[in-house]
């Protein structure tokens, strides 16, 4: 399992992001450090939960929900996979734009795999791949594939896509 890290969605680059997004990102990063590094799990989790449930700032809410979803998804239990899916459903994709769409699909698919519904996970990745053939989505599809020949074909597609794929800029 290769869970996508939240650093991928909360970039250090300031180019192309609104001041509101950058401020929300900075606040959530601070809380995430407490959650993951400083040993203040209960307090940090509670802060993120409060933001998710009470903030008027939709971007901040979505970023907080994303961090909680990642935290649960990384535990790889059925209970936490269900919780992660609940929090992923709270993310306002319009506010976060292109930035999280692939990562959300990947985490959802991995959660469904933990819950024993690999076909649902495959369906989510297939739907995401219908709009964009990114290497991350192709790798997620390969991870969910049981047939060795199909898995190899997907891995080879990753190499082909890397030759052709350019990551979208924040302005696209």
């Amino acid at each position: 399992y290769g869970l996508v890290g939240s650093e991928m969605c909360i970039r250090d680059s300031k180019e192309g992001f609104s001041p509101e997004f950058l401020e929300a990102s900075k606040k959530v990063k601070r809380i995430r450090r407490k959650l993951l590094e400083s040993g203040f799990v209960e307090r940090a989790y509670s802060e993120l939960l409060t933001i998710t449930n009470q903030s008027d700032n939709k971007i901040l809410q979505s970023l907080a929900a994303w961090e909680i979803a990642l935290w649960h998804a990384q535990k790889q239990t059925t209970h936490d996979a269900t919780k992660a899916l609940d929090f992923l459903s709270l993310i306002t994709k319009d506010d976060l734009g292109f930035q999280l769409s692939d990562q959300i699909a990947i985490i959802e698919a991995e959660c469904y795999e933990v819950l024993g519904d690999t076909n649902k996970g495959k369906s989510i990745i297939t739907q995401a791949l219908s709009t964009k053939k990114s290497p991350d989505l192709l790798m997620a599809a390969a991870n969910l594939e049981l047939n060795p020949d199909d898995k190899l074909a997907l891995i080879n597609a990753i190499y082909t896509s890397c030759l052709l794929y350019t990551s979208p800029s924040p302005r696209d």
Side-chain angles (χ1 to χ4, degrees):
Y1 299 102
L3 293 175
V4 176
S6 57
E7 281 301 318
M8 290 184 71
C9 72
I10 304 175
R11 301 189 209 194
D12 292 327
S13 169
K14 294 180 176 151
E15 183 179 325
F17 297 106
S18 70
E20 182 183 28
F21 178 87
L22 292 172
E23 186 59 36
S25 174
K26 188 175 168 183
K27 181 174 185 168
V28 170
K29 276 183 180 182
R30 215 173 28 253
I31 298 169
R32 181 182 65 232
R33 272 190 219 102
K34 286 188 227 175
L35 182 68
L36 300 177
E37 299 169 8
S38 303
F40 299 108
V41 175
E42 288 179 22
R43 191 163 130 204
Y45 187 94
S46 178
E47 279 184 67
L48 289 170
L49 192 58
T50 299
I51 291 169
T52 300
N53 292 328
Q54 297 177 4
S55 177
D56 293 333
N57 181 332
K58 296 292 183 197
I59 294 172
L60 186 59
Q61 277 182 322
S62 291
L63 289 172
W66 171 248
E67 289 301 331
I68 294 173
L70 281 180
W71 188 79
H72 281 290
Q74 290 172 350
K75 298 209 178 284
Q76 299 284 312
T77 67
T78 55
H79 170 75
D80 285 296
T82 302
K83 296 287 275 180
L85 289 168
D86 290 342
F87 282 100
L88 288 172
S89 72
L90 300 175
I91 295 172
T92 307
K93 293 171 181 93
D94 291 342
D95 291 330
L96 299 180
F98 77 94
Q99 212 171 358
L100 286 179
S101 61
D102 291 358
Q103 290 92 343
I104 290 170
I106 292 166
I107 298 300
E108 284 176 334
E110 289 182 352
C111 286
Y112 280 111
E113 183 180 30
V114 168
L115 293 171
D117 195 350
T118 303
N119 288 332
K120 174 79 172 174
K122 285 182 179 182
S123 173
I124 289 167
I125 296 300
T126 301
Q127 182 179 359
L129 280 167
S130 72
T131 59
K132 178 172 61 170
K133 298 243 185 291
S134 78
D136 291 337
L137 290 170
L138 288 166
M139 182 56 81
N143 285 340
L144 294 170
E145 188 53 59
L146 298 177
N147 180 305
D149 292 332
D150 293 340
K151 185 182 284 271
L152 182 59
L154 287 163
I155 291 169
N156 286 333
I158 294 167
Y159 289 112
T160 302
S161 73
C162 285
L163 297 174
L164 305 173
Y165 181 77
T166 56
S167 183
S169 72
R171 292 183 216 147
D172 287 347

